[in-house]
Amino acid sequence: MLISGFAFVPAELSTSGGRVTWTNKDDAPHTVTFDDASIASSGNLAKGQTFSATFSGTGTYAYKCTIHPSMTGKVTVK
Ligand SMILES: [Cu+2]
């Protein structure tokens, strides 16, 4: 998963579970912060930094960048 052009790419990911990793390709810092606060937030990611989250249960997990709240994404675990 990329963070590029002030967007999560792809914005929606479908997966059977496991680990998902985001890499910030922008010069600006971004976060990956889930609505479900039980999933740890990335904190600020500088350019080139990565963040991984592991999903163990099925469901849809919405997230956003807290610095730029118009940046949103979803991970669906089937
Ligand atoms: Cu951002």
Side-chain angles (χ1 to χ4, degrees):
M1 302 281 283
L2 298 180
I3 310 172
S4 179
F6 287 77
F8 297 108
V9 184
E12 298 192 17
L13 176 74
S14 219
T15 175
S16 55
R19 194 172 169 86
V20 179
T21 300
W22 288 260
T23 303
N24 183 12
K25 297 289 195 184
D26 279 346
D27 290 329
H30 297 295
T31 77
V32 176
T33 304
F34 287 86
D35 292 356
D36 178 349
S38 71
I39 303 172
S41 173
S42 67
N44 287 5
L45 297 173
K47 185 175 190 180
Q49 286 191 308
T50 64
F51 168 72
S52 296
T54 301
F55 301 92
S56 51
T58 59
T60 298
Y61 300 88
Y63 62 93
K64 63 177 178 293
C65 171
T66 57
I67 303 168
H68 312 103
S70 63
M71 294 173 59
T72 61
K74 278 180 197 172
V75 175
T76 299
V77 180
K78 294 181 177 175

